[in-house]
Amino acid sequence: EDKVVQSPLSLVVHEGDTVTLNCSYEVTNFRSLLWYKQEKKAPTFLFMLTSSGIEKKSGRLSSILDKKELFSILNITATQTGDSAVYLCASGSARQLTFGSGTQLTVLP
Amino acid sequence: DAGVIQSPRHEVTEMGQEVTLRCKPISGHDYLFWYRQTMMRGLELLIYFNNNVPIDDSGMPEDRFSAKMPNASFSTLKIQPSEPRDSAVYFCASSPRRVVWDRAYGYTFGSGTRLTVV
């Protein structure tokens, strides 16, 4: 059975802190690993990773994939209260994604 | 584009009643997905369609669940009869046929329907 595990389940930090979110995966048909941010409504796309060791960056967010260790991390630097959300990791193929249970990040002012 | 549109936003129903959730995908998207999200199980894929044809329904939990896509702009997920354990947020997502690099297969989620079965 395909499995995606995220840690920690929840995290509380103060504005300006740097956080690292973890995602490990075991899927039978790996094509990519994706990160989503979910606030109160629908998940919104952050990154798609397909190759090991290549960092993707978008502003204060960055992510990297290790296909040997079946692992990805999402880094957020200089956190802001607007970063508070559930961060979801998903892995699999284009038509069969398995999602992790998410990391609830709370950024306090 | 208005994005993926789901209705209703909230649904409260009594156990045993039929529930129908609706989804309008983004125009031109060939794939449509139904997901269910709960605290216990996270996001689970229930079923997906390609060009209105159901491709994989292995995630549909029971025969009480059924999904249809009569045309390219409309899909329904029906639960009959509903049970309290069906309470969850149900998301619809759509995707274009062509993979767009760095766009996650063009996955766009709707805002979801929060279903409560009492």
Side-chain angles (χ1 to χ4, degrees):
Chain A
E1 183 182 339
D2 292 353
K3 188 167 58 174
V4 176
V5 178
Q6 293 186 244
S7 64
L9 291 181
S10 65
L11 192 55
V12 180
V13 300
H14 287 92
E15 273 193 316
D17 289 349
T18 294
V19 298
T20 298
L21 310 183
N22 305 299
C23 175
S24 64
Y25 63 93
E26 290 179 37
V27 298
T28 52
N29 185 17
F30 177 85
R31 290 290 300 276
S32 63
L33 186 134
L34 299 98
W35 286 96
Y36 285 85
K37 177 182 182 182
Q38 185 175 24
E39 296 173 89
K40 292 187 178 179
K41 297 182 179 178
T44 54
F45 169 71
L46 293 176
F47 297 110
M48 180 176 77
L49 304 157
T50 56
S51 300
S52 277
I54 298 175
E55 185 182 52
K56 294 286 185 78
K57 292 198 72 169
S58 176
R60 296 177 293 102
L61 278 66
S62 64
S63 184
I64 197 162
L65 175 68
D66 184 333
K67 290 171 72 173
K68 183 179 177 183
E69 298 297 328
L70 307 183
F71 190 82
S72 175
I73 60 172
L74 174 69
N75 281 319
I76 309 175
T77 59
T79 51
Q80 302 171 357
T81 55
D83 295 328
S84 296
V86 174
Y87 289 83
L88 295 167
C89 170
S91 185
S93 63
R95 308 305 166 205
Q96 189 67 39
L97 284 181
T98 299
F99 282 81
S101 55
T103 293
Q104 171 75 60
L105 174 66
T106 303
V107 181
L108 302 175
Chain B
D1 196 320
V4 177
I5 299 172
Q6 291 187 246
S7 65
R9 295 291 298 276
H10 302 274
E11 177 80 39
V12 181
T13 191
E14 291 185 343
M15 184 173 66
Q17 296 298 306
E18 177 180 295
V19 175
T20 299
L21 311 182
R22 297 172 177 80
C23 175
K24 182 180 187 313
I26 291 175
S27 178
H29 279 193
D30 295 325
Y31 287 85
L32 183 140
F33 306 82
W34 281 101
Y35 282 88
R36 176 172 69 175
Q37 187 174 38
T38 61
M39 289 292 291
M40 291 293 293
R41 300 176 67 89
L43 262 171
E44 302 172 280
L45 177 65
L46 301 177
I47 185 172
Y48 79 89
F49 295 82
N50 179 20
N51 292 325
N52 315 338
V53 177
I55 302 300
D56 184 352
D57 65 355
S58 58
M60 296 285 262
E62 300 173 29
D63 291 345
R64 298 184 295 108
F65 286 69
S66 62
K68 294 183 179 179
M69 193 165 185
N71 57 63
S73 59
F74 184 65
S75 176
T76 60
L77 178 68
K78 186 177 293 187
I79 309 172
Q80 166 63 20
S82 58
E83 297 182 3
R85 59 193 169 119
D86 301 331
S87 298
V89 179
Y90 290 81
F91 286 104
C92 176
S94 71
S95 168
R97 179 167 59 91
R98 177 172 294 185
V99 170
V100 179
W101 184 256
D102 268 353
R103 299 292 290 276
Y105 314 102
Y107 258 63
T108 302
F109 283 85
S111 297
T113 294
R114 181 173 293 279
L115 174 65
T116 303
V117 183
V118 299

